[in-house]
Amino acid sequence: MIKTKDLTKIYTTEEVETTALNNINLEVKEGEYVAIMGPSGCGKSTLLNVLGMIDQPSNGDYFFFDEEVSRYSERQRANLRKNNIGFIFQSFNLIDELTVYENVELPLLYLGYSAAERKKRVSECLEQMEIMARKNHFPQQLSGGQQQRVAVARAVVAHPKLILADEPTGNLDSAHGEEVMKMLGELHEQGTTIIMVTHSPAYAEYSHRIIHLFDGHVVSENIQKGFKI
């Protein structure tokens, strides 16, 4: 599904040049569950943004389903994103002015689904995430755990091939964090490829493979003996 070759990302200001990613070479096969770990500032979120085509690399190649996409225009990247990738963020990134139902429905509006299909898919996702009873609530009326359930529902409503999760449990207590990890495990069991950034060794154990970053480099990879769910 994903292959990078010497992927590099450099941020430049008038005073300083910062190398966030330095010659990253990795592969992620369809159906894998991969955790990315490392200290703050090591490039984890930058890597996720490049893999999610939110950001472009400065140098190197990025293949997504055998397409070299690193030089794509923003419009080309946006089309690939909305048809293939779902995002889950630490800060939820829900729209405060929209209800739970409307937040989850939004990706389907962008993709041009009919009203009937939108209703069917949104209802299925809200039921799956056990948040249907809150469908007419606004994000501020929900707990952190409930907001993350909505964010997961929004990420999966269009049935993406890939989920990118950036510290999905970072703002949650341990009980709600375990709930989110269980939901990700269930999505993986259904065939979704997952790449997750996490600081938690315990949550990284849910993955098949752990990639360790340090100063923008991949310094090690560990294959998990068992998949925890």
Side-chain angles (χ1 to χ4, degrees):
M1 175 182 275
I2 284 173
K3 182 177 181 180
T4 71
K5 183 179 179 182
D6 298 330
L7 202 68
T8 299
K9 181 63 181 179
I10 299 170
Y11 293 103
T12 304
T13 66
E14 292 181 1
E15 299 178 355
V16 66
E17 184 175 277
T18 303
T19 301
L21 300 175
N22 195 346
N23 294 323
I24 298 287
N25 294 284
L26 63 84
E27 290 188 39
V28 177
K29 293 182 173 61
E30 195 166 2
E32 269 199 284
Y33 189 157
V34 177
I36 300 173
M37 299 191 71
S40 296
C42 72
K44 302 186 300 298
S45 292
T46 300
L47 177 58
L48 216 62
N49 285 340
V50 171
L51 296 181
M53 290 174 268
I54 293 173
D55 207 352
Q56 277 185 302
S58 304
N59 293 293
D61 300 314
Y62 174 26
F63 296 89
F64 187 76
F65 284 110
D66 296 323
E67 286 187 65
E68 211 295 308
V69 300
S70 61
R71 306 296 178 262
Y72 272 20
S73 67
E74 170 54 33
R75 176 173 290 185
Q76 289 173 307
R77 298 200 311 272
N79 283 334
L80 272 178
R81 274 200 308 271
K82 71 183 183 181
N83 286 296
N84 294 284
I85 303 174
F87 295 88
I88 304 171
F89 302 96
Q90 176 179 350
S91 55
F92 316 135
N93 283 15
L94 300 175
I95 298 174
D96 289 339
E97 294 76 21
L98 299 182
T99 64
V100 165
Y101 186 98
E102 291 166 340
N103 266 281
V104 176
E105 182 186 35
L106 198 57
L108 302 179
L109 286 169
Y110 289 145
L111 288 167
Y113 281 86
S114 68
E117 182 65 15
R118 293 199 307 271
K119 182 177 181 180
K120 176 176 178 290
R121 289 202 181 199
V122 173
S123 297
E124 286 174 352
C125 279
L126 294 179
E127 291 285 1
Q128 182 182 9
M129 299 302 158
E130 299 178 357
I131 199 75
M132 177 62 87
R134 305 284 184 175
K135 70 176 184 177
N136 294 320
H137 287 63
F138 291 93
Q140 306 97 311
Q141 299 173 303
L142 305 178
S143 68
Q146 289 169 336
Q147 288 186 60
Q148 195 60 297
R149 286 176 178 271
V150 178
V152 173
R154 182 186 59 187
V156 304
V157 70
H159 301 167
K161 298 178 178 70
L162 172 66
I163 292 288
L164 298 177
D166 193 357
E167 293 284 358
T169 62
N171 284 330
L172 304 176
D173 59 32
S174 59
H176 287 119
E178 288 288 346
E179 285 182 16
V180 169
M181 294 309 302
K182 183 180 179 183
M183 284 189 282
L184 289 176
E186 290 170 353
L187 290 169
H188 175 259
E189 286 293 304
Q190 295 165 16
T192 307
T193 306
I194 297 174
I195 303 176
M196 174 183 66
V197 163
T198 182
H199 278 103
S200 168
Y203 292 152
E205 289 180 8
Y206 282 78
S207 70
H208 287 155
R209 180 161 54 111
I210 304 173
I211 296 172
H212 296 271
L213 292 187
F214 187 78
D215 286 348
H217 295 273
V218 174
V219 292
S220 67
E221 291 191 34
N222 302 108
I223 306 296
Q224 301 283 76
K225 289 183 179 179
F227 178 63
K228 179 181 175 184
I229 185 167

